[in-house]
Amino acid sequence: MADCPLDLGWMRVFEAVGRLGSLTAAAGELGLTQPAVSYVVRALEAQVGTALIVRQHRGSSLTPAGAAMYRAVGVAIAQLQGAAREIRNLQSQSVVRLFTDYGFASLWLMPRVAAFRKAWPEADVHIVASASLDPGQADAVDLSILFGARADFGPAAVQLFEEEVVPVCSPAFALRHGLSAAGEGIAGLPLLHLDSTPRPRWFIWRDWLAAMAIERRPGPADLSLSTYGLVVQAAMADQGIALGWTCLIGDALAAGSLVAVGPPIVRPQSGYWMVPAASLSAPAAALAAWMVREAGTVS
């Protein structure tokens, strides 16, 4: 939160006059008119019963009484501003900022985050989902849930899920094409792809087909989509076979909206990792511990 000056009324006006030595300069700094600043000073002088500034042709100067008031006001403003910073820091500690990708946010986090919010109702959780692998300004994020290998992250990272993928499709698609968990018949059917970089961090269909020693046969055209949530939706809509990261599509498999139609492949040192900031507030630390428990891992 920005460190905005408090509205201190006459104190801030008088402090600016004393510091700048000019009613006009003080007015310019505070966004007021010169008559308005002059009125505030005259009203203060009336309250204390003595002159506080000497108005001169060019600027103004403090009287001895004004100098005493200026010193007191300076101390008071510094103390009040310090108290305001402390209060703002306490308030900001209830905000938890979490960065992750679209797939993890929509398929794993959102179905579960209500449980955390129930346990920590005072925590203001901000979830930032992106197609990027990089959270950008690290100091603005408390927790990042990122996909990659152990070598991609620092020693503080905790692996939530290892990378395990399995071919999946809708039950109707599997029935129509006679598919089973053995993986037979996939070679000539449309595959659903997640658009990625030339060297993706995650498994792609080429990896699974190579692991199964399967060669593609001519058939219906494949479909590529920009986010993993769309890939899963396309699979549920009978558009083809997707690679399902088991940590993300486990709920859909359990509900029967997706079925496995081939053996899984696993890469234990790769997967989703939780990367915490250097220091965490109590709500952020609680969210981190909760995610570890939900993922079934031990930190």
Side-chain angles (χ1 to χ4, degrees):
M1 183 179 295
D3 191 10
C4 298
L6 292 175
D7 182 8
L8 299 175
W10 67 265
M11 285 194 291
R12 186 163 294 284
V13 172
F14 186 76
E15 188 276 336
V17 171
R19 173 167 45 83
L20 298 174
S22 167
L23 296 173
T24 302
E29 179 179 282
L30 299 172
L32 302 172
T33 65
Q34 191 271 351
V37 171
S38 181
Y39 173 81
V40 170
V41 174
R42 286 199 303 269
L44 176 59
E45 290 175 328
Q47 290 181 56
V48 298
T50 188
L52 298 176
I53 67 171
V54 177
R55 293 161 178 81
Q56 300 167 335
H57 178 65
R58 292 183 179 274
S60 60
S61 61
L62 296 172
T63 65
M69 180 66 76
Y70 177 70
R71 289 192 296 271
V73 167
V75 172
I77 288 177
Q79 291 178 338
L80 288 168
Q81 286 294 117
R85 281 192 294 271
E86 291 181 10
I87 292 169
R88 287 166 181 154
N89 288 337
L90 288 172
Q91 290 176 330
S92 66
Q93 288 179 4
S94 66
V95 177
V96 182
R97 300 170 182 85
L98 185 147
F99 175 91
T100 190
D101 61 51
Y102 289 124
F104 190 89
S106 61
L107 297 173
W108 191 89
L109 184 57
M110 292 311 300
R112 295 169 172 80
V113 74
F116 174 78
R117 289 174 56 79
K118 183 176 181 181
W120 283 80
E122 70 278 12
D124 186 1
V125 181
H126 293 190
I127 298 172
V128 180
S130 171
S132 172
L133 297 175
D134 185 359
Q137 295 182 340
D139 59 348
V141 176
D142 297 296
L143 298 171
S144 297
I145 310 300
L146 306 174
F147 193 94
R150 158 54 77 186
D152 297 322
F153 310 110
V158 176
Q159 188 175 27
L160 297 178
F161 301 102
E162 65 181 21
E163 184 178 20
E164 179 183 74
V165 297
V166 60
V168 295
C169 63
S170 70
F173 189 94
L175 182 63
R176 185 163 65 248
H177 295 283
L179 300 176
S180 69
E184 298 174 354
I186 287 179
L189 295 174
L191 304 181
L192 305 174
H193 301 268
L194 173 63
D195 279 340
S196 60
T197 61
R199 300 182 63 182
R201 292 181 177 181
W202 46 83
F203 282 134
I204 58 177
W205 269 112
R206 183 176 62 241
D207 300 316
W208 188 89
L209 293 169
M212 299 296 124
I214 294 176
E215 293 186 8
R216 291 298 308 276
R217 297 196 302 268
D222 290 353
L223 179 62
S224 295
L225 300 113
S226 60
T227 68
Y228 190 62
L230 293 177
V231 172
V232 172
Q233 289 179 32
M236 292 180 176
D238 304 339
Q239 294 303 300
I241 306 170
L243 278 182
W245 277 262
T246 54
C247 63
L248 301 184
I249 52 93
D251 292 343
L253 289 174
S257 52
L258 289 175
V259 294
V261 289
I265 58 174
V266 181
R267 188 157 45 188
Q269 291 302 310
S270 181
Y272 275 105
W273 298 78
M274 180 175 64
V275 184
S279 62
L280 296 178
S281 64
L287 178 58
W290 172 84
M291 293 190 70
V292 169
R293 291 194 300 272
E294 286 290 311
T297 64
V298 178
S299 60

